[in-house]
Amino acid sequence: MTWRAALLLAAGALTLPAWPSPLAGMLVMTGAVLLLVVLDRALAVPPSALTATRDGDRTVRLGGTATVVLHLGNPSARTLRAQVRDAWVPSAGARPDVPPTRLVRVEPGRSAALPSRLTPTRRGDRPAVALTVRSLGPLGLGFRQRSERPATPPWTLRVLPRFDSRRHLPEKLSRLRVIDGTQVTRGRGQGTEFDTLREYVVGDDVRSIDWRASARRADVLVRTWRPERDRRLVCVLDTGRTSAIRVGDEPRLDTAIDAALLLTALAARAGDRVDLLAADTAVRATVTGTGRPALLPRLVHALAPLQPALVETDFDLIAGELLRRQRQRSLVVLFTALEAGALSAGLLPVLPRLAARHRVLIAATHDPVLTALTTAVPAQPRDAYAAAAGWRALAERDRIRAALARHGVLVVDAPAGRLAPTLADTYLRLKSQAQL
Amino acid sequence: MTATTTAGARTGATTTAKGRGGRGRRWHRIVIPLGLAALLLTTTLVTHAVDQPDPDAGFLSPVATGDHGGSRLAAALRERGVTVQRETTTAAALAAVRSAPATLFVPAPALLRRETVRALDRLPARTRLVLVDPARPVLVSAGLPLLPGERRWAAQALGPAAGGLPCQLPELGGVGSAAVGLQRYTAGSYRPEQVQFCFAGALARVSGAVEQVAVGASDPFRNDRIAEWDNLAFATGLLGVTGRVVWLDLAEPEPPPATGTGRPSRTPATEDGPGTGTGDGSGDGTGTGDGRGGPGEPGQPGGPGGGDQSGSGDGDGEAADRDDPPNPLWAAFPPWFWALLAQLALAVLFLALWRARRLGPPAAEPLPVTVRSAETVLGRARLYQRAGAREAAARTLREAALTRLLPRLNLPADAAPDRVAGAVAARTGAEPAATEELLYGGEPETDQDLLELARALDGVTRTVAPPASPDVPLPDRTEGEPR
């Protein structure tokens, strides 16, 4: 029954003084209202007869708004008057155009479109949870409602990472072009890979004159060099427990995904082949970069549903996967946390095997709070203790960094917002120095 | 390209499992505590009902041989040479007591009428009156200066001197523990010198011409428990003092007598006069005082005293007699008012039913971890502070400062303290000895010392090795860079 039944009963109560026998009047009125409710409920459209389908956006970038439309069909012979609640998970940020308090009317044989606007607050797959239809009778006194009648049409909105660091991309690309030699701002291209021979023009470096080729021809030829192309780059994302920790205002994994996307975009433009592996105790996602044009969208889709798992990462598994997949020497960029416990127990034992085949780079973020603790002038005894704890954490990180450096591993350790550009700079430096 | 995501399927499976288990657990959450409470209540009530005798079925009758009867007590009294005279009406019992000094044993004083109880204090002198577990109305009517105190759920075995005071009843001197501790009595606001307590208040004697004894439990007299503890000795000792026991054995509430109690009954109108405004318990003393012109002694024989005390429990008596007429509140409003109230209550019930049906279940989802990465560092700082680890903190701060200073001073990591102090002092302009004390000194004594040390180290490092840029918190760090 609805509030109308209660209101009807309350209004009827006011007529009681006029009844010859008030007690009998009360019983008669209550019985009448109950009878009306039962009758009204029987006249309501049964929810199990309804049909529900969805269409609309499948993906949205984090921060954007998607629209998913629910089509509620009424195949019965009666007009449907219903309250409809289309529930999504809270982080999907769903705002239905027709709120559940408003009545939806669907004529017999027709269907109604009920759009929902979704502004997700977190990356990942955001599913629709439950569709509830409360079918009211013609008087609005009684209703029918059963869970999963009609069944909730499944729909999952994939929220893609925001890729905030793409604002750094033009600058990094221009630096790449300088290194590549296609854009002469600082000089000609540098590199170690032989490109072509061309005639000497005034201003060329005399050290790059190829005397042997000049001897064969009647002209002075210079060798041109370019950075190596078709190098291999593997991004490895650690989705274990250390990636769940919040650095700044997002999980460490999101920072890593952002940096990985920038690095991939840059490396794909530089002509390198990019693979991706995400793993904790099991492999969560792999992307093998073959078709270059569509690499970035595919990578984004593969990374979007990744969630941190609260388990210790199995670096043995990661090393095995890398050694099995990557036969050629590659640059392995491992996105993890510089945490003594996790790395010394997991990574250090397998690092020699990995470093023997590949060039390993560890990209880690740290909390800017730590830096603030150690650089601020202490004002209270509490600050002095905090500074001591901060310095101790930094010293521990230095120790693990030194241990990693002994294996020839490069470490990029940047505060949360600076990881992506710092990593891109490191990549460009390696590229220009032909250390890939 | 192969993009595999197994996380989705796994999460879905766990969600359904959790949903099923969650519903079951929610059900348990309601049923288990309520069931436990109900079980506890039922057990307690059933045990109590079994333990406590039903006063109707031959309760403490000298001829009843059941568990709650008093045949064993009567037999034991006869063995000791005490005459046991069973009387089944109050009038006969009172008459029997008047004939010779005796002990009037009233096992069920609640069955007596109020007027009868009032008459009990006008018994002949040297009579002992024993009341078993008298309730407050009985105490008030009988004019006993006692108030019921703490009541237990089951009788407790107590020694005569329990509660700290020696028992002043010589006939109970040889008794050890007896199970009398069910109801305890206190003297309330009365003068305590005429009242003696034994068994920690479970036995109260009001001395006077008529010796009135209130016993807190029926257990020592009952057939089923008389053999326990020293119950037999207690019961026979208490009842056998005068050599004759008049046993008032009532099977049912006393019928209203005509004029058998030896006192003319008053009309309610006259009784209402002194009783108005005095309440039930404390009104007793007031009423007595009014009648005598001074603090009276309840329990003394005499017409005026007994007459005045009658003002006390009248309010109770009137209310008890008038439970036949309906509550006047019903007649205060017309019948439609009550019907209207009932219908409005039904309407509210309908509203509750409407609100109780929710429009679909709440949507649940796993939440992300909210632990910040600096959490452990901050926690360690708080631990340092709570433990007062000034030495460890100072050592860490000094090591960190030296790590930053030595590369700037072009000194090796194992440079001698005086060299380092000299080089630093040359840059800062401070005394080398003070600088050495700062960099290699002892443990700070207080938190304030530690704070000053931290500030001084910070100042020295800022002078000698200033941070690169205040805007960028840390420069790009790669392998091999010195910190």
Side-chain angles (χ1 to χ4, degrees):
Chain A
M1 62 194 64
T2 65
W3 59 271
R4 290 181 194 225
L7 189 70
L8 194 62
L9 200 62
L14 298 180
T15 67
L16 273 174
W19 286 70
S21 166
L23 196 69
M26 185 195 87
L27 292 177
V28 166
M29 274 193 279
T30 311
V33 168
L34 282 176
L35 194 71
L36 276 176
V37 167
V38 169
L39 196 72
D40 198 43
R41 185 184 180 281
L43 286 176
V45 177
S48 51
L50 302 173
T51 60
T53 53
R54 279 185 211 273
D55 62 11
D57 297 337
R58 286 279 185 186
T59 60
V60 67
R61 199 170 279 283
L62 182 62
T65 299
T67 308
V68 176
V69 184
L70 174 75
H71 295 281
L72 195 63
N74 178 17
S76 70
R78 285 174 244 159
T79 303
L80 170 71
R81 300 167 73 252
Q83 287 174 282
V84 182
R85 173 172 173 250
D86 188 13
W88 292 70
V89 289
S91 63
R95 284 190 323 279
D97 278 7
V98 180
T101 47
R102 209 191 301 164
L103 274 189
V104 177
R105 296 177 66 93
V106 187
E107 300 297 324
R110 307 289 290 275
S111 95
L114 304 166
S116 285
R117 308 204 181 278
L118 300 137
T119 314
T121 54
R122 287 211 304 275
R123 178 185 56 78
D125 283 345
R126 303 274 87 105
V129 176
L131 171 69
T132 313
V133 177
R134 175 176 288 186
S135 171
L136 293 150
L139 294 175
L141 289 175
F143 61 80
R144 292 192 190 195
Q145 177 189 338
R146 277 193 68 188
S147 60
E148 288 301 307
R149 296 284 183 280
T152 308
W155 195 269
T156 302
L157 184 71
R158 175 157 291 183
V159 185
L160 306 177
R162 198 173 355 225
F163 195 10
D164 275 337
S165 61
R166 67 173 180 272
R167 65 175 189 270
H168 298 293
L169 195 56
E171 185 245 326
K172 306 295 174 203
L173 282 177
S174 73
R175 281 182 56 191
L176 179 70
R177 281 194 289 273
V178 169
I179 294 169
D180 232 359
T182 51
Q183 183 184 2
V184 184
T185 54
R186 207 173 55 187
R188 66 191 175 96
Q190 302 283 328
T192 55
E193 193 173 284
F194 176 71
D195 189 12
T196 52
L197 289 170
R198 62 173 173 79
E199 291 179 4
Y200 175 82
V201 292
V202 177
D204 276 344
D205 190 352
V206 289
R207 285 176 298 180
S208 57
I209 293 174
D210 187 343
W211 296 109
R212 196 183 297 251
S214 304
R216 280 202 294 273
R217 301 265 304 266
D219 210 345
V220 179
L221 295 178
V222 291
R223 283 186 193 142
T224 55
W225 308 89
R226 63 164 193 193
E228 303 98 325
R229 300 181 73 86
D230 291 314
R231 298 287 132 171
R232 287 171 172 268
L233 178 69
V234 189
C235 293
V236 181
L237 284 133
D238 167 13
T239 58
R241 64 173 178 88
T242 53
S243 70
I245 291 173
R246 291 185 96 77
V247 176
D249 55 354
E250 58 181 5
R252 186 174 267 152
L253 182 61
D254 287 22
T255 315
I257 286 176
D258 194 52
L261 287 176
L262 181 69
L263 189 62
T264 307
L266 196 60
R269 199 68 68 88
D272 290 339
R273 182 191 151 125
V274 184
D275 294 347
L276 182 129
L277 176 74
D280 38 76
T281 51
V283 176
R284 299 286 175 213
T286 58
V287 177
T288 314
T290 46
R292 273 171 192 154
L295 175 65
L296 200 60
R298 282 206 326 249
L299 202 68
V300 167
H301 273 271
L303 290 178
L306 280 184
Q307 294 299 336
L310 297 183
V311 292
E312 196 70 60
T313 305
D314 184 2
F315 283 105
D316 214 8
L317 170 88
I318 291 178
E321 283 288 318
L322 284 175
L323 293 174
R324 191 171 61 77
R325 287 164 195 265
Q326 309 293 333
R327 301 271 171 208
Q328 302 176 18
R329 184 171 177 83
S330 331
L331 174 68
V332 174
V333 183
L334 180 56
F335 294 89
T336 180
L338 273 188
E339 202 171 293
L343 287 194
S344 59
L347 181 62
L348 286 181
V350 299
L351 201 55
R353 271 198 292 154
L354 206 58
R357 176 90 66 86
H358 302 295
R359 185 104 169 91
V360 181
L361 193 155
I362 289 185
T365 52
H366 60 251
D367 203 325
V369 174
L370 200 57
T371 321
L373 284 184
T374 51
T375 52
V377 182
Q380 290 173 353
R382 199 176 55 205
D383 298 342
Y385 286 113
W391 281 116
R392 189 176 156 166
L394 287 179
E396 266 175 18
R397 228 169 48 189
D398 277 351
R399 267 201 294 284
I400 186 92
R401 214 204 254 273
L404 291 170
R406 275 199 292 280
H407 293 282
V409 172
L410 229 67
V411 177
V412 175
D413 185 13
R418 302 271 316 150
L419 179 67
T422 313
L423 189 64
D425 287 344
T426 311
Y427 167 75
L428 288 174
R429 204 183 73 224
L430 288 175
K431 184 111 182 140
S432 66
Q433 292 172 358
Q435 288 182 354
L436 284 183
Chain B
M1 168 226 166
T2 48
T4 50
T5 47
T6 51
R10 195 187 43 163
T11 317
T14 45
T15 311
T16 27
K18 263 184 200 158
R20 218 174 293 129
R23 191 162 300 169
R25 235 176 290 131
R26 197 160 56 203
W27 179 243
H28 287 167
R29 220 160 39 202
I30 298 170
V31 165
I32 289 179
L34 286 184
L36 274 178
L39 188 73
L40 206 65
L41 266 177
T42 315
T43 316
T44 312
L45 289 176
V46 165
T47 316
H48 188 246
V50 168
D51 182 60
Q52 294 300 310
D54 179 9
D56 290 338
F59 173 68
L60 279 190
S61 165
V63 292
T65 53
D67 278 354
H68 297 155
S71 60
R72 292 177 67 182
L73 173 61
L77 285 170
R78 284 193 196 100
E79 259 177 41
R80 287 186 54 173
V82 178
T83 316
V84 175
Q85 187 177 349
R86 174 177 180 246
E87 297 293 347
T88 50
T89 62
T90 329
L94 292 176
V97 172
R98 282 204 187 88
S99 64
T103 301
L104 178 57
F105 181 44
V106 187
L111 299 179
L112 295 179
R113 285 181 59 79
R114 185 174 308 278
E115 291 81 6
T116 318
V117 178
R118 275 181 210 137
L120 288 179
D121 59 4
R122 303 197 301 132
L123 291 170
R126 291 178 52 222
T127 306
R128 171 177 275 195
L129 172 65
V130 177
L131 300 171
V132 175
D133 195 7
R136 181 190 287 264
V138 176
L139 290 174
V140 169
S141 302
L144 289 177
L146 298 174
L147 287 175
E150 176 199 357
R151 188 176 180 90
R152 291 170 55 86
W153 273 74
Q156 180 191 15
L158 295 166
L165 284 174
C167 188
Q168 293 176 14
L169 272 70
E171 65 270 23
L172 298 181
V175 177
S177 294
V180 287
L182 185 75
Q183 172 72 58
R184 298 191 180 179
Y185 296 98
T186 59
S189 57
Y190 303 98
R191 294 182 307 166
E193 56 263 28
Q194 51 178 325
V195 183
Q196 292 96 42
F197 291 104
C198 290
F199 298 96
L203 184 141
R205 182 178 71 156
V206 182
S207 52
V210 176
E211 190 185 13
Q212 294 164 309
V213 179
V215 181
S218 62
D219 298 52
F221 307 104
R222 270 154 44 194
N223 280 347
D224 54 345
R225 298 203 63 186
I226 196 166
E228 297 174 15
W229 304 99
D230 272 347
N231 286 352
L232 183 63
F234 170 80
T236 52
L238 192 66
L239 298 177
V241 175
T242 50
R244 195 164 77 95
V245 174
V246 177
W247 192 312
L248 182 55
D249 180 18
L250 294 175
E252 55 191 7
E254 191 187 10
T259 50
T261 58
R263 191 176 71 86
S265 62
R266 293 188 184 184
T267 60
T270 51
E271 285 184 353
D272 273 345
T276 311
T278 53
D280 52 358
S282 58
D284 193 352
T286 320
T288 311
D290 286 347
R292 303 247 179 110
E297 292 194 345
Q300 274 194 348
D308 277 333
Q309 279 174 2
S310 64
S312 56
D314 284 338
D316 293 345
E318 302 288 324
D321 290 342
R322 270 205 314 239
D323 47 14
D324 303 326
N327 192 335
L329 194 63
W330 297 115
F333 295 99
W336 60 261
F337 175 80
W338 301 108
L340 186 106
L341 216 60
Q343 188 155 341
L344 285 180
L346 275 175
V348 170
L349 179 72
F350 279 25
L351 270 182
L353 286 175
W354 165 59
R355 294 299 293 175
R357 186 82 166 101
R358 65 189 181 188
L359 195 56
E365 70 170 340
L367 288 173
V369 172
T370 53
V371 178
R372 300 186 53 86
S373 68
E375 200 76 22
T376 47
V377 175
L378 296 174
R380 182 179 283 150
R382 284 193 292 271
L383 273 181
Y384 274 163
Q385 187 169 14
R386 187 171 300 177
R390 284 182 284 275
E391 188 188 359
R395 200 172 52 234
T396 312
L397 286 173
R398 281 175 174 145
E399 277 170 11
L402 283 175
T403 317
R404 278 174 295 166
L405 288 175
L406 292 177
R408 290 297 185 110
L409 299 170
N410 291 324
L411 288 171
D414 53 353
D418 52 345
R419 270 189 73 198
V420 177
V424 171
R427 298 276 192 104
T428 57
E431 285 293 316
T435 311
E436 188 172 350
E437 171 63 25
L438 175 66
L439 289 176
Y440 297 97
E443 177 188 355
E445 294 295 322
T446 61
D447 277 2
Q448 195 58 39
D449 290 351
L450 178 70
L451 178 62
E452 279 161 15
L453 174 77
R455 278 191 176 157
L457 284 173
D458 187 69
V460 166
T461 34
R462 268 173 211 281
T463 318
V464 178
S469 158
D471 294 330
V472 181
L474 269 187
D476 295 347
R477 287 257 168 86
T478 45
E479 169 206 16
E481 279 182 11
R483 185 177 295 281

